[in-house]
Structure formats: structure tokens, C-alpha cells
Amino acid sequence: MKKVSLLLIVAMLVMVMSACTSNSNSNAPGAGQEPEAAKPDGSGDPVTLKIVYKDEGTANPVSVKFFETLEKALAEDEGLNVKFELVDLAQGSYAENLNLLLLGGTIPDIIYFQGGDQQISEQGLLEDLTPYIEKSKYIKDIMEPHNKTRMESYPYLMWIKPLAPKAPVIRADWFNAMDSSKALIENPTVDNYYAFFKELVEKKPGEGKPSYALTAAGDIAEINFIFNTAFGLDTTWLKKADGTYEYSKVSQNEKEKLTFYNKLYKEGLLDPQFITKQWDTKEDAFYKGDAAVITGTVGKILDLYDGRMQDLGGKEAELIVLPPAKGDGGQGFGATDVTKESRGLAISSQSPHKDIAFQVFDYLASPKGQMLDRLGFENEHFTVENGEIVLNDKYYSEWYARFWEPTEMKSETPLKTPLLGKPGTESLSMASEFYTEDNNFLIPDQFVANWDAMNNLYKEYSTDFITGKKDLSQFDEFVEAWYAAGGTEITKYANENIK
């Protein structure tokens, strides 16, 4: 009996050691996860990949069709038997609802973030994508320089898209009806922007509309793309005359900008409800004509705005892209953050299907994958005529790349028509013209809690300054509170580390 018991114990130890050895290799790319799904003929049980993605839920028929089409393409082209399961979130703030989902223990395999990802990555819940990219067949070749720089410092979030500042747009018929339009385009100073906004609200070219010139979604971040650089707020940390750095939001430049925003608010040129606006209500105000100007991400998003506006207002309502304001600080949409992607796609470190998830990413970077992701559905968004791809109006008004959008698209079939319409093309050109890199940095762990509190302090004070709840003579009070809340330490760190 003792011999039998000893043999049983040894056998159990061997099984445990074998399992541990297997698990120790399971996190490495290409470690052999999902053998059934990786069969060349696509046979075997399908691997289910859960994906949560803003606007890409089961209630969106285009999304459902896209992922169903992607499943078929993966099976035919890659031999991957994959089933996508779209995870729906409640209406409201995507970042907040996603956070509740993840912290509640439901962690999909593929996750789209639009903020809030750092606290998730700090808990070890997001996969480091560096080794996957290095071994990729297509991804590593389509990454833009700013993508590579961001991935080096924060390897959890991938978003292969062109530079993506937000640019202001307005209906062409309203723009052409303004006497101040020519001066704005020729010399887009802050004063000329103010004159343009004022004339829009006074003249009301849309039969009693607009109610106000400018709106935004929830805070002033979108408006800052227009005005920050003009006020000298061209980097996160401003170099002072003595060679030291100060945080831009506690500078006199910031005070001057907030004074201007307060002027817009008091005179009814800025939407009085911009603080409570969400992205959808902001866009709705634009389409209905309540707001004359909004900002949108350069490129395809502005083409979608253009298509929707023309559907509602006709050809004469096509959109015109306005330039960023210029001033003593220069002209531009602000410096580009290269510390990390501000939004993008991640793979859960808890997923048992990490390799397969990245294979999906890599396929979408291939010529065949790009055909689907960038162009949509054949005979619905494009046709092939005489061996060339012809994009139609539905493509320009509806379709956008869910995944990757490199500057150069490699297609097996040549394109006869351009990928972007006039607003998309012009805005991307502006983004490239005014591109500069920021000097910010990822906030070290020891400062994160204070940094969040300091940002909330800024949001509270800046909103009150704009709306008049606090007088701008109290700006120094805000600066003192900011330094007391941790600003002294983070400013010291910045001066020691900014090269």
C-alpha cells in the first residue's frame, strides 16, 4: 500500500509540474494557444473573441455585418475559425461604463479604450504588445513614426491612424454669407475669430440660426485645438525666461485664454450648455444648426460630418475646414502627445486567446484586411470597374476604418477614387503642416493620485472662470491651490527630466 501511495504522489507531482511548465509559456506570442482555431483549413471549434468597442454593438447593423464579414475573411484567407462576440455597454460615458465593466470582472479579449486605460494597465490586465509587433507579418510595416514612439513608452494600446488633432468646420453656405469670412481665412487671428463668431450669431444665416457660434463636448479640450497655440500654449510645459519649466495650465498664457473663453461665454458665442454636452448631443446641435462651428477629428471623421450635413442641408451645406487661430504664440492645433496613444485597442492579459486576437490585428493590416477595414462592403460602399475600385457616396458618408488606417494603403486592386473627401484631405494636410511634438511625459506612479486631483482642480476652476462663477482675478488662487495639491513636486520632477 505504501508503494502504491508513493507512486500516486509521484504521478500527481509530475502532472502538477507539467501543468506549471505549460502555463509558464502560455504568455509568449506563438506559444501554441488555440491549436484548433489555427488549423490551415479553418476547421475545429471556433474561438470566441469577445470585443468591446465604442459604437460597435449589436444594435448597429453595420457593425454586426462587419464582424461577420471579418469572420468569413479570416477563415478563407488565414484558416482562422473565429467567432466575434460584441459586448454592449449602457448609454452614457463610454470610458466610465467600460471602467465599470472591467472592474466588475468582465474583461473581453479585445478592448477599445478612449481614456481610463492606464489604471487598467497598472493592474496588469493589459498585454504588452511589443513582442507581438516584432513578430508580426504586417503590423510592424504600417506603423507611423508617432505610433512607434508611443508604443516604446506605453506598449499596451495600439492605434495606427494618421495624426489626429481636431479641426473646426462650418457649413459652406453659412461661411460664404459672412462678411468676416475672408479676413478669417487670410489672417485667422484670435480677434478675427471673435469677429466671425459674433457676426454668425448676429446675422443668423440659417433662418434664425445658429443660436451660438461654437459648441464642445463636456469641456474645453476640443476648443483648445483652435486657440491654444495662438495664446502661446504650444507645449504642456512652457519654458520661462529663466530657462525653467512651468505647467502650461498655471501660466499667464492660460489666464489670457480663459479670459477670452469667458468673453465668448458671456456674449452668447459659446454654447451655454457645453459642459453637459456629450459627443452625440454636440454633433446633434451642429446638424440642427444650433451651433455653427464644431471641431472633429481630422480625416475620415470630418468626411462623415460632411456627408451627414449634406444629407440634411443639400450640396450647399458641404463643410469648410477652418484654420487654427494664430497669435503671438504661433499657429497650430497644439503639440502632439507622443507618450502614449490617447485611444486605441488593447488585448487583455487574462485572455486565453491572446495569440489569436493579435492574428486578427495583423490580418487587418494586410492588403486583404485593409480592403475590408478601409473600403467597406463591395457593391455597397464600392464597386470594381475595369479593374479599379470606385468608391461611392455611401462610402464617404458612412464608412470608417474600425482598426488601422495607415497613410499609405496597399491594395491588391488599384483605387480609382481617393479614400478621403475634400474636408478629410484638407484637414489631414493641415495636421501635417502644423505638426509639433509635445514635451510632456508619462506621470510616475508616485504622482498619479495627486495628478488626477490636480487635473480635477483645473477643470473645476477653469469651468467656473469661463462661466463667470469665479472671477478671473482669482486665477492666482487656483495656481496656489494647484501647487499645494502636488504641483510643486511634479514641477520639480519636470525640470529634472525634460531634456
Side-chain angles (χ1 to χ4, degrees):
M1 290 294 293
K2 288 182 179 179
K3 287 183 179 179
V4 173
S5 299
L6 184 59
L7 287 171
L8 182 61
I9 291 170
V10 170
M12 291 176 68
L13 285 171
V14 169
M15 291 173 65
V16 170
M17 290 175 68
S18 176
C20 289
T21 301
S22 174
N23 288 337
S24 69
N25 294 326
S26 64
N27 289 329
Q33 302 164 18
E34 286 73 60
E36 289 286 66
K39 284 185 177 181
D41 61 359
S43 63
D45 294 333
V47 166
T48 298
L49 291 178
K50 292 185 178 181
I51 179 169
V52 59
Y53 200 145
K54 185 175 182 288
D55 303 329
E56 308 298 335
T58 56
N60 184 340
V62 179
S63 299
V64 173
K65 184 175 180 179
F66 171 80
F67 284 100
E68 287 177 348
T69 306
L70 179 57
E71 289 170 1
K72 294 174 184 176
L74 288 166
E76 293 173 3
D77 299 334
E78 299 293 315
L80 289 179
N81 193 355
V82 172
K83 179 72 176 176
F84 291 99
E85 182 179 316
L86 301 180
V87 179
D88 292 320
L89 291 181
Q91 293 292 319
S93 169
Y94 176 79
E96 291 177 8
N97 288 330
L98 176 61
N99 220 22
L100 291 173
L101 178 80
L102 300 178
L103 295 177
T106 300
I107 306 177
D109 304 277
I110 297 173
I111 309 165
Y112 170 78
F113 284 98
Q114 195 167 306
D117 53 282
Q118 273 188 268
Q119 63 177 310
I120 303 300
S121 66
E122 286 165 4
Q123 296 178 48
L125 297 177
L126 302 183
E127 186 77 355
D128 181 343
L129 300 177
T130 305
Y132 297 84
I133 293 170
E134 290 173 352
K135 293 184 178 182
S136 67
K137 187 175 180 180
Y138 301 104
I139 287 281
K140 62 177 179 285
D141 294 328
I142 68 165
M143 294 180 72
E144 307 287 345
H146 62 277
N147 298 137
K148 294 177 182 178
T149 303
R150 289 168 176 171
M151 291 299 293
E152 286 171 4
S153 62
Y154 188 82
Y156 310 105
L157 210 59
M158 191 158 58
W159 195 238
I160 305 173
K161 302 274 185 176
L163 293 168
K166 291 180 184 289
V169 289
I170 185 173
R171 293 173 56 143
D173 51 352
W174 291 12
F175 176 83
N176 292 329
M178 298 297 104
D179 296 330
S180 55
S181 297
K182 183 179 179 182
L184 177 66
I185 294 298
E186 292 179 350
N187 189 25
T189 62
V190 172
D191 287 343
N192 282 344
Y193 253 106
Y194 168 75
F196 180 68
F197 287 166
K198 194 168 184 65
E199 186 183 5
L200 277 166
V201 173
E202 290 177 349
K203 186 172 283 188
K204 298 188 182 299
E207 298 179 356
K209 293 186 175 183
S211 302
Y212 35 83
L214 181 67
T215 190
D219 58 31
I220 60 175
E222 295 180 344
I223 306 173
N224 288 340
F225 280 104
I226 309 174
F227 296 109
N228 258 5
T229 299
F231 283 95
L233 300 162
D234 55 345
T235 52
T236 298
W237 294 90
L238 303 181
K239 197 168 188 177
K240 299 193 295 183
D242 62 2
T244 61
Y245 290 93
E246 72 172 341
Y247 187 52
S248 60
K249 290 179 179 177
V250 297
S251 67
Q252 286 302 301
N253 304 60
E254 180 72 20
K255 182 180 180 180
E256 291 172 9
K257 183 193 72 178
L258 292 176
T259 301
F260 174 65
Y261 288 176
N262 171 253
K263 179 180 179 180
L264 297 180
Y265 185 89
K266 284 195 302 185
E267 297 186 16
L269 308 183
L270 174 61
D271 180 0
Q273 297 179 325
F274 79 93
I275 302 163
T276 58
K277 283 279 198 294
Q278 298 288 336
W279 66 270
D280 53 345
T281 52
K282 175 199 80 170
E283 292 173 0
D284 193 47
F286 182 57
Y287 295 137
K288 287 181 177 178
D290 294 329
V293 177
I294 63 169
T295 62
T297 305
V298 301
K300 185 62 184 179
I301 296 300
L302 291 188
D303 279 349
L304 295 175
Y305 285 0
D306 183 48
R308 176 61 176 157
M309 186 60 86
Q310 289 191 51
D311 285 343
L312 295 170
K315 177 66 177 175
E316 64 273 13
E318 65 179 346
L319 297 186
I320 287 178
V321 182
L322 301 177
K326 71 176 182 179
D328 293 338
Q331 183 179 16
F333 293 117
T336 299
D337 182 356
V338 292
T339 57
K340 66 182 289 293
E341 300 290 354
S342 60
R343 63 175 68 191
L345 288 149
I347 295 176
S348 165
S349 64
Q350 309 305 299
S351 170
H353 312 304
K354 293 188 283 287
D355 281 357
I356 295 299
F358 194 85
Q359 280 182 266
V360 173
F361 284 0
D362 205 31
Y363 172 74
L364 286 159
S366 72
K368 288 184 178 179
Q370 282 281 283
M371 279 279 289
L372 169 61
D373 196 22
R374 299 289 291 276
L375 306 182
F377 310 131
E378 187 171 0
N379 297 322
E380 188 172 341
H381 299 102
F382 69 92
T383 56
V384 178
E385 301 173 11
N386 300 319
E388 293 182 306
I389 294 171
V390 179
L391 303 170
N392 60 29
D393 290 342
K394 191 173 183 180
Y395 165 82
Y396 289 111
S397 64
E398 174 184 283
W399 194 259
Y400 55 90
R402 269 85 181 155
F403 288 82
W404 319 133
E405 204 170 356
T407 303
E408 180 185 358
M409 177 186 166
K410 295 180 180 178
S411 171
E412 295 180 343
T413 306
L415 287 166
K416 184 176 181 179
T417 46
L419 284 170
L420 293 175
K422 186 177 179 182
T425 301
E426 289 183 354
S427 62
L428 276 180
S429 178
M430 282 188 189
S432 179
E433 177 185 354
F434 296 116
Y435 172 73
T436 56
E437 287 191 3
D438 204 350
N439 62 359
N440 63 332
F441 47 84
L442 287 176
I443 302 301
D445 290 344
Q446 67 267 31
F447 299 129
V448 168
N450 282 354
W451 185 250
D452 289 342
M454 290 150 63
N455 281 332
N456 288 334
L457 189 70
Y458 167 77
K459 288 178 182 178
E460 177 187 338
Y461 268 91
S462 62
T463 300
D464 286 348
F465 286 144
I466 293 168
T467 58
K469 291 181 180 178
K470 282 187 171 68
D471 191 271
L472 275 147
S473 62
Q474 297 173 267
F475 188 79
D476 289 344
E477 173 189 304
F478 154 67
V479 173
E480 290 177 11
W482 187 87
Y483 278 110
T488 300
E489 291 77 14
I490 195 70
T491 300
K492 180 182 178 184
Y493 179 89
N495 277 281
E496 291 171 348
N497 289 274
I498 294 177
K499 300 293 187 287

